[in-house]
Amino acid sequence: MAEKDMAEKKLEDYPEVFTDIVNTLLFSDSSIRLDENKIIDGPTESIYKTEEQDKEQRRDTFKYYDIGGGALFCVAAYGIENQSTIDNVMPVRIMNYDASTYKSQVFDLKSSSKQTNQKRKRIYPVITIVLNFSEKEWKTSRSLHDMMALPSDLAKYVQDYKINVFDVAFLEDDVIEKFTSDFKAVARFFKDKRLRLEANDTIEIKHPAEIADLFSVFTGDEGYRNAVPEIIKKKEKGEVITVCTYTETIRDSGKIEMLFELVESGDISPERACEKLGITLNELEKKMKDANFQFPRHYK
């Protein structure tokens, strides 16, 4: 799970991706639109007390948003929590994350007033969204009340805490089309993966390394990561990178590895392999070594 969180975080850490996710999913029916240029990095770690010890909470992605208007501290914070499995206690997790952020603000208010003799009277709102990347819809708890066996006549006395959950693999096509960042390719990838459809070849990818990390983690196929150097070369040559670029590069890489196996087993000569690949013997030896294949000793 930690590896999956890190893969998602790398891509979502880009302001244009972060704001694209929030604008398209959370503010779809609102006039609110975040400006990527007003995004400020926030802490992803916080501390909360337990009876045993101080424990660390880690958010996947956390940003401040500067509303402006001369209000230096008037910002809104948005957090994104990534899930590859369904978590029944997510409302409590999110409540803890958000409460920790509010507590931190209260501490800052007190510290600021002591240092400057000026009291900041307001705290800013904290909004967290949950991105579910699994192939199952989130049909479990979406609020604190959902987690309880709560009699209806008691419910109005018990504070509730609702969470904003979005099932990435189940997004409607018209929603996916509204994304303007690399997250469009991500959403399309997860939906196509769930529906067992062919990879999309029309959505351009701007951050190929980060996309490769994410795809490798969620498919278990290291081929995506291994394909990055070749894909970067293609991007530098001006080629438009899409999800299909990965699949084609992985397929070509598989053919090359088959050639390496033939050289290693002696079924084909290194010279013949060099002719097919358009490289020298020294280059072939290095490539085989990098791919963990044994270059024939009598050629060294």
Side-chain angles (χ1 to χ4, degrees), residues 34-92:
L34 301 190
D35 180 347
E36 66 182 77
N37 296 312
K38 294 183 178 181
I39 288 291
I40 303 169
D41 286 336
T44 57
E45 298 176 3
S46 58
I47 304 296
Y48 68 100
K49 288 273 190 178
T50 67
E51 292 182 359
E52 301 89 10
Q53 58 184 355
D54 286 352
K55 288 190 176 181
E56 178 187 276
Q57 297 179 123
R58 181 184 292 272
R59 280 185 179 275
D60 295 335
T61 310
F62 190 78
K63 306 285 186 184
Y64 294 120
Y65 187 73
D66 185 357
I67 295 175
L72 182 61
F73 295 100
C74 188
V75 297
Y78 299 86
I80 293 180
E81 295 304 315
N82 300 307
Q83 285 297 113
S84 58
T85 58
I86 306 299
D87 188 344
N88 296 332
V89 299
M90 183 57 78
V92 173

Side-chain angles (χ1 to χ4, degrees), residues 44 91 105 161 197 248 262 273 279:
T44 57
Q105 292 184 65
Y161 206 87
L197 299 177
E248 291 168 359
L262 293 174
I279 58 178

Side-chain angles (χ1 to χ4, degrees), residues 238-279:
E239 183 174 331
V240 174
I241 306 302
T242 69
V243 171
C244 280
T245 312
Y246 293 92
T247 57
E248 291 168 359
T249 303
I250 292 170
R251 184 179 63 244
D252 292 344
S253 177
K255 292 178 180 178
I256 293 173
E257 288 195 357
M258 287 180 62
L259 197 60
F260 289 169
E261 289 178 0
L262 293 174
V263 173
E264 185 179 60
S265 64
D267 292 326
I268 187 175
S269 70
E271 289 86 356
R272 180 60 176 156
C274 288
E275 182 181 334
K276 285 181 173 292
L277 296 175
I279 58 178

Side-chain angles (χ1 to χ4, degrees), residues 281-297:
L281 280 172
N282 287 337
E283 290 172 333
L284 176 64
E285 180 180 1
K286 183 179 185 305
K287 286 181 179 293
M288 288 184 65
K289 182 179 179 181
D290 291 343
N292 295 319
F293 285 94
Q294 182 68 48
F295 189 76
R297 292 183 178 180

Side-chain angles (χ1 to χ4, degrees), residues 145-283:
H145 280 193
D146 288 344
M147 297 175 61
M148 303 175 182
L150 189 62
S152 58
D153 57 348
L154 185 62
K156 65 180 181 180
Y157 301 105
V158 180
Q159 296 297 324
D160 199 5
Y161 206 87
K162 298 180 180 180
I163 60 175
N164 304 295
V165 181
F166 299 95
D167 299 311
V168 177
F170 292 84
L171 294 175
E172 296 293 338
D173 289 342
D174 62 336
V175 175
I176 294 176
E177 286 303 311
K178 291 179 182 178
F179 289 112
T180 57
S181 71
D182 277 2
F183 201 78
K184 177 186 285 190
V186 172
R188 184 82 265 166
F189 173 82
F190 281 103
K191 183 167 186 177
D192 289 348
K193 180 173 176 287
R194 177 179 67 84
L195 297 175
R196 306 298 185 261
L197 299 177
E198 292 293 325
N200 185 282
D201 64 349
T202 62
I203 304 173
E204 182 177 0
I205 292 172
K206 298 177 181 178
H207 305 293
E210 290 78 5
I211 290 283
D213 275 346
L214 192 150
F215 287 172
S216 286
V217 167
F218 279 95
T219 63
D221 185 351
E222 285 296 314
Y224 290 100
R225 282 194 181 117
N226 296 337
V228 169
E230 186 61 30
I231 287 176
I232 295 298
K233 290 180 183 178
K234 292 181 179 181
K235 183 177 175 63
E236 290 174 346
K237 292 178 181 179
E239 183 174 331
V240 174
I241 306 302
T242 69
V243 171
C244 280
T245 312
Y246 293 92
T247 57
E248 291 168 359
T249 303
I250 292 170
R251 184 179 63 244
D252 292 344
S253 177
K255 292 178 180 178
I256 293 173
E257 288 195 357
M258 287 180 62
L259 197 60
F260 289 169
E261 289 178 0
L262 293 174
V263 173
E264 185 179 60
S265 64
D267 292 326
I268 187 175
S269 70
E271 289 86 356
R272 180 60 176 156
C274 288
E275 182 181 334
K276 285 181 173 292
L277 296 175
I279 58 178
T280 66
L281 280 172
N282 287 337
E283 290 172 333

